[in-house]
Amino acid sequence: CLRRHPQEMIVDRLDREYIRTNCKLTVNNLKMFLSRKLSYTPLDDFQILTISGGKGVILDDSVTIGDVKNDIAESGSDDDLVLHFRAVPSTI
């Protein structure tokens, strides 16, 4: 599940939160997907987060969905992986 972060105000939510992906998909690939679907650039402004230890963890671009599911996120083996996204514009 790919949900808009509850405090996100810049970008809209996705029409469909549930997406099916390969476990080898990277966080950077998700950012490209969001950038296209939400017509928002630059894609580097996106942050993808998951919950670990009761706290939000910002995921590195090179991390795969499989790594998140198996090693980082709090979920059972059959639970859906829930990721949140937000846009954080860089300031110059």
Side-chain angles (χ1 to χ4, degrees), residues 17-70:
E17 292 182 340
Y18 291 90
I19 58 174
R20 185 173 295 221
T21 66
N22 186 303
C23 66
K24 294 180 183 178
L25 188 81
T26 65
V27 169
N28 193 58
N29 295 130
L30 280 178
K31 288 181 178 184
M32 287 189 287
F33 170 79
L34 287 169
S35 181
R36 290 181 184 147
K37 283 299 229 182
L38 301 174
S39 301
Y40 183 88
T41 55
L43 68 93
D44 289 335
D45 285 358
F46 281 108
Q47 289 181 341
I48 309 293
L49 302 92
T50 192
I51 303 299
S52 181
K55 299 185 182 204
V57 176
I58 299 170
L59 301 172
D60 187 78
D61 287 354
S62 62
V63 174
T64 66
I65 298 304
D67 292 339
V68 175
K69 174 95 171 141
N70 296 327

